[in-house]
Amino acid sequence: MQRTYKTGRYGVRQSRCMNAEPLRFDTKIAVLLREDLEPWQRLNVTAFLVSGLGTEVPEVVGEPYEDADGVGYLPMFRQPVLVLEGSKETLTAARDRALSRALPRSVFTSDLFATGNDRDNRAAVRAVPTAELDVVGLAVHGPRNAVDKVLKGARMHP
């Protein structure tokens, strides 16, 4: 049985500190992957896609971490990242809806599997018109309801 994805009114389970109320976020970070990717590709594409969100939307990044010994660690997103999957058509439609809503987004195309650096990645995307991009991954950030609409037809990643 395949399920489509849409969060309920109060979203999914949020992490919580001891004795604290769960945080509720007005925004959502989501990654949509094409369902035919190999497992290593899914991980690689997800990592690349979310890497740009913190620079474009700095408010999604929390504070740096520190362990009990005072060793510091880099900050991470302040909210969960949802990972979904869908068909090629679902990704194309989601990309179009993200564009029409002007939501912050990142894209990963099949051509990027053949490149080995950022310069060549950008050149590969720049060489293809928007409607012809072979999108295998899309990350999007925005108000929860807008992101839900962009991801219509996608399923939670298994």
Side-chain angles (χ1 to χ4, degrees):
M1 181 173 129
Q2 294 182 348
R3 297 176 298 149
T4 57
Y5 169 77
K6 185 173 180 179
T7 56
R9 180 173 177 185
Y10 294 105
V12 295
R13 179 183 71 117
Q14 304 292 329
S15 62
R16 42 174 105 193
C17 297
M18 292 179 62
N19 300 324
E21 288 296 316
L23 293 174
R24 305 282 184 219
F25 298 103
D26 293 333
T27 62
K28 184 179 288 187
I29 300 170
V31 173
L32 176 57
L33 302 170
R34 201 162 76 193
E35 61 195 0
D36 61 349
L37 295 179
E38 296 293 326
W40 72 267
Q41 292 174 317
R42 291 170 182 255
L43 296 170
N44 185 264
V45 170
T46 300
F48 270 96
L49 287 171
V50 299
S51 68
L53 286 177
T55 59
E56 185 68 21
V57 189
E59 63 270 17
V60 300
V61 178
E63 297 294 322
Y65 286 72
E66 185 177 292
D67 66 24
D69 293 324
V71 175
Y73 302 92
L74 294 172
M76 296 185 280
F77 290 134
R78 65 180 184 88
Q79 66 189 89
V81 176
L82 301 171
V83 181
L84 301 101
E85 68 176 11
S87 66
K88 181 176 183 172
E89 296 77 20
T90 300
L91 264 95
T92 299
R95 190 252 346 260
D96 292 345
R97 289 189 291 262
L99 289 171
S100 73
R101 288 172 171 77
L103 294 176
R105 67 215 163 263
S106 53
V107 67
F108 198 102
T109 67
S110 62
D111 294 333
L112 303 188
F113 290 123
T115 61
N117 61 70
D118 185 54
R119 182 191 70 234
D120 292 342
N121 286 350
R122 285 182 282 112
V125 173
R126 188 179 307 113
V128 181
T130 304
E132 296 175 25
L133 289 171
D134 184 18
V135 179
V136 299
L138 177 75
V140 65
H141 172 264
R144 288 175 21 183
N145 62 343
V147 172
D148 285 343
K149 289 177 183 175
V150 165
L151 300 173
K152 183 179 178 182
R155 301 174 304 277
M156 289 298 293
H157 189 277

